[in-house]
Amino acid sequence: MFRRIDDAVRPAGITIWFEGQSLHAQAGDSLAAALLIHDAGAFRTTPVSGAPRAPYCLMGVCFDCLVEVDGVPNRQACMIEVRDGMQVRRQHGPAGVADDG
Amino acid sequence: MDSADVAIIGAGPAGLAAAETLAAAGASVVLLDEQQMPGGQIYRGIEAVQALRRQTLSLLGSDYAAGATLAKALRNAPVDYQPGSMVWDVSRDLVIHYSREGRSQGLHARHLLIASGALERPVPIPGWTLPGVMTVGALQILLKSDGLVPRVPLVLAGSGPLLLLLAVQLLKAGAPPAAIVETVPRRAYRSAARHVPRALQGWRSLMKGRRWIRTLTHAGVPWYRGCTNLRVEGADRATGLAFHHAGRTETIAADVIGLHQGVVPNVQLTRLLDCEHVWDASQRCFRPRLDDWLATTVDGVSVAGDGGGIFGAVAAEWQGRLAGLNIAHRLDRLPSAERDRQAAPMRAALARERTVRPLLDTLYQPPPDVLRPADEVVVCRCEEVSAGRIREAVRLGCSGPNQAKSFLRCGMGPCQGRICGLPVAEIIAETRGVDLDDVGYYRIRPPLKPLPLMELAGLAADNDPAQ
């Protein structure tokens, strides 16, 4: 849904994985931005009705961009930067206090 | 536990200016900010944009570029700046707990300055939870911090200066909106007119607004004025925006819809500390009660910037300096006469910045159906509670937001009521027929954001003297 303004001194390209598919990203991208470039669709589904959600505020307020990152649920995609090899999955269901222990 | 003279939360204009002022006075300052780079939302990404993205810098304009001075001052000041810090608890004895790089730690401060700024006012209209619907602020964040613009049809809907500014910026970036759907009612122009003489003292803001309107009109961006009954179309994602305009229902196809109805103070921290808050009828939001030096009703806690009421980035910077001077005084680092001498021109500048607000607040007052949406509209996005269910709960005896929580779970999801707090309070006030001050707001409890349990366990281990 989005494209880059092509004016940046390009940092190195990296690869992240979303639902098992490899996606190209750039160092410094927020995870939310990297997924929005690639039309990732819903980031999560809601615990109450299973409705699809994607980023609304992009500033850490709304929690609609919650995804699972490297096996850890409830991560705000707008608040973390991409890392090479990052494994990202949609989050389905409850998003209360994370228990990654 | 670490300690400091002053802890500042938020590295936007208010926090940066306060940090600079306090460091210059010789106080030890810890600056905690959730982002990785200084600037807050208004100057978001300023250092990277300035260094790497000249075209973006020029299209974002000189107001944005001004943030570079503040960021540079931070880099040169003896401030313990800790980016990537998510504050999840603050107690009244000023112990702050925050999470950074997957670890939680505590900090004790003698003074706390809250500079956590504003949030976008939620815009609960039918379909606003669909993927593709974002705030105008979110779209601007993508532009500032990631250099992204929409490559699919975009509609900007609502009202306020930020909406027009983003439209201009996207136009300059070669990605103009397919349409602007403005909700300012015709009568708002009439009621706003009486504030024009005062606003002329801040004529630069007015000229800026006029320039934006001209730019958009000349570019031929379709602009629907006086629109009502906005509704996002689509099943699994947004496909368009429908609205009433000039007696007809229009629909514009769009994959991205940017909503905006101004911004409101982020009161999570001041509510957590149980500072006294007041209802601001002209800005339609709660704000903490502040004295002339921006101190709250809780000893040692001050608020600078939009978190204390919406006056914009330049005012936020002056407020940060003003609050900083007073905190330096209270730390015995600045005599009161010197504090007052330095404060006088700042107060004058602040007063000038405020002259345009009555005009903006009147003209861009959110429409009633956004403040108090129709029954079928989801208000609490996290727990998917509709306006109708809140009204029903009120009729069954629910008298305030905290009771609504136990009736309906609204405000109990991960966003902790940041989104639904105001509309829930508005709906309850309307249904009960009482003032917002009588309805109040959610009680905010720690952790302010969901925290991995492992981190809490780690914190306990760190604090255990046996370790």
Side-chain angles (χ1 to χ4, degrees):
Chain A
M1 294 199 292
F2 292 84
R3 65 173 170 84
R4 288 180 203 279
I5 297 174
D6 206 20
D7 72 333
V9 178
R10 288 266 170 262
I14 59 172
T15 300
I16 63 168
W17 298 82
F18 182 62
E19 296 287 334
Q21 300 251 330
S22 71
L23 302 180
H24 182 80
Q26 281 178 14
D29 284 349
S30 78
L31 174 56
L35 296 179
L36 285 169
I37 291 178
H38 289 284
D39 292 349
F43 282 42
R44 72 174 181 113
T45 55
T46 60
V48 179
S49 74
R53 291 285 171 85
Y56 174 71
C57 79
L58 287 177
M59 54 182 278
V61 172
C62 76
F63 290 78
D64 268 329
C65 65
L66 291 180
V67 288
E68 185 188 302
V69 177
D70 296 330
V72 181
N74 294 315
R75 301 299 309 274
Q76 290 182 285
C78 71
M79 299 300 291
I80 49 182
E81 286 187 8
V82 291
R83 221 176 344 85
D84 199 29
M86 192 178 245
Q87 292 282 346
V88 186
R89 291 193 172 277
R90 289 196 175 93
Q91 175 154 320
H92 298 284
V97 174
D99 182 3
D100 57 350
Chain B
M1 187 181 297
D2 286 343
S3 66
D5 287 336
V6 190
I8 299 173
I9 302 175
L16 290 172
E20 190 187 341
T21 304
L22 282 157
S28 63
V29 180
V30 176
L31 174 58
L32 303 173
D33 188 61
E34 207 170 1
Q35 301 294 329
Q36 300 296 335
M37 304 278 260
Q41 302 303 335
I42 191 83
Y43 302 130
R44 188 154 161 165
I46 180 67
E47 290 178 327
V49 170
Q50 195 187 35
L52 301 172
R53 294 162 45 204
R54 304 306 294 192
Q55 189 197 336
T56 305
L57 188 67
S58 84
L59 69 87
L60 285 172
S62 58
D63 286 351
Y64 174 76
T69 312
L70 281 169
K72 193 169 169 197
L74 170 71
R75 300 298 184 184
N76 292 329
V79 170
D80 181 1
Y81 168 51
Q82 301 203 26
S85 296
M86 187 272 281
V87 173
W88 54 265
D89 192 19
V90 181
S91 61
R92 280 198 163 199
D93 51 2
L94 303 190
V95 173
I96 297 152
H97 280 105
Y98 63 101
S99 165
R100 188 175 187 222
E101 288 163 4
R103 213 184 122 246
S104 274
Q105 47 205 307
L107 166 72
H108 178 256
R110 294 172 65 192
H111 288 267
L112 169 65
L113 179 72
I114 297 171
S116 51
L119 309 174
E120 272 209 51
R121 180 188 296 281
V123 189
I125 59 172
W128 73 308
T129 57
L130 288 170
V133 180
M134 304 167 95
T135 65
V136 159
L139 293 168
Q140 203 192 34
I141 284 168
L142 284 175
L143 179 58
K144 288 173 181 170
S145 70
D146 302 282
L148 301 192
V149 294
R151 61 172 165 72
V152 293
L154 157 77
V155 170
L156 297 179
S159 80
L162 183 62
L163 187 148
L164 300 180
L165 172 60
L166 180 76
V168 170
Q169 290 168 340
L170 291 177
L171 176 69
K172 288 185 186 165
I180 295 173
V181 174
E182 212 174 33
T183 54
V184 182
R186 204 152 298 174
R187 65 174 182 281
Y189 290 95
R190 284 197 298 275
S191 26
R194 67 193 158 95
H195 299 296
V196 169
R198 186 166 170 223
L200 284 172
Q201 296 169 48
W203 56 274
R204 276 193 186 83
S205 324
L206 293 188
M207 293 300 288
K208 225 166 22 190
R210 221 177 83 171
R211 231 172 22 243
W212 296 343
I213 292 167
R214 273 204 189 148
T215 305
L216 293 167
T217 312
H218 281 178
V221 174
W223 194 332
Y224 299 83
R225 289 181 167 85
C227 303
T228 60
N229 299 68
L230 274 56
R231 167 186 297 273
V232 178
E233 309 262 286
D236 293 336
R237 60 178 188 87
T239 56
L241 184 75
F243 53 94
H244 289 185
H245 174 255
R248 297 181 44 191
T249 300
E250 308 267 355
T251 305
I252 297 174
D255 301 294
V256 179
I257 291 159
L259 299 178
H260 186 64
Q261 290 290 345
V263 299
V264 293
N266 176 1
V267 294
Q268 296 300 109
L269 284 161
T270 46
R271 287 281 178 187
L272 174 68
L273 281 158
D274 207 16
C275 302
E276 193 183 326
H277 288 71
V278 292
W279 175 252
D280 185 325
S282 57
Q283 298 198 336
R284 288 219 82 87
C285 59
F286 288 104
R287 56 177 167 78
R289 186 186 292 284
L290 303 178
D291 71 10
D292 282 352
W293 292 102
L294 306 171
T296 68
T297 52
V298 173
D299 191 42
V301 180
S302 313
V303 175
D306 278 357
I310 305 304
F311 296 100
V314 176
E317 188 178 332
W318 289 120
Q319 287 184 345
R321 294 191 198 286
L322 211 52
L325 287 180
N326 188 51
I327 294 170
H329 167 65
R330 290 195 55 191
L331 289 165
D332 291 326
R333 292 183 176 277
L334 193 67
S336 61
E338 181 57 19
R339 174 198 64 177
D340 296 349
R341 192 190 65 78
Q342 291 187 32
M346 297 179 185
R347 290 191 190 281
L350 204 48
R352 273 196 306 279
E353 278 305 310
R354 287 171 175 236
T355 54
V356 77
R357 283 316 310 191
L359 173 66
L360 295 180
D361 292 343
T362 309
L363 187 58
Y364 294 129
Q365 173 125 186
D369 62 340
V370 164
L371 295 173
R372 298 170 294 272
D375 280 351
E376 73 273 18
V377 179
V378 167
V379 172
C380 167
R381 295 171 66 100
C382 296
E383 297 291 332
E384 295 178 85
V385 181
S386 68
R389 287 177 60 204
I390 295 162
R391 292 190 176 101
E392 193 185 302
V394 172
R395 286 190 285 267
L396 290 172
C398 162
S399 63
N402 293 304
Q403 276 181 306
K405 267 189 188 179
S406 42
F407 271 70
L408 302 165
R409 289 194 56 81
C410 59
M412 292 183 75
C415 102
Q416 286 240 26
R418 285 172 177 83
I419 302 277
C420 69
L422 281 174
V424 165
E426 289 260 14
I427 290 167
I428 294 173
E430 177 203 41
T431 314
R432 286 182 54 202
V434 298
D435 289 340
L436 268 295
D437 272 320
D438 296 330
V439 164
Y441 196 75
Y442 289 134
R443 202 170 300 116
I444 303 299
R445 293 203 174 88
L448 287 172
K449 284 191 175 183
L451 198 68
L453 291 181
M454 281 299 285
E455 261 194 61
L456 283 176
L459 183 71
D462 287 349
N463 288 343
D464 185 349
Q467 294 275 318

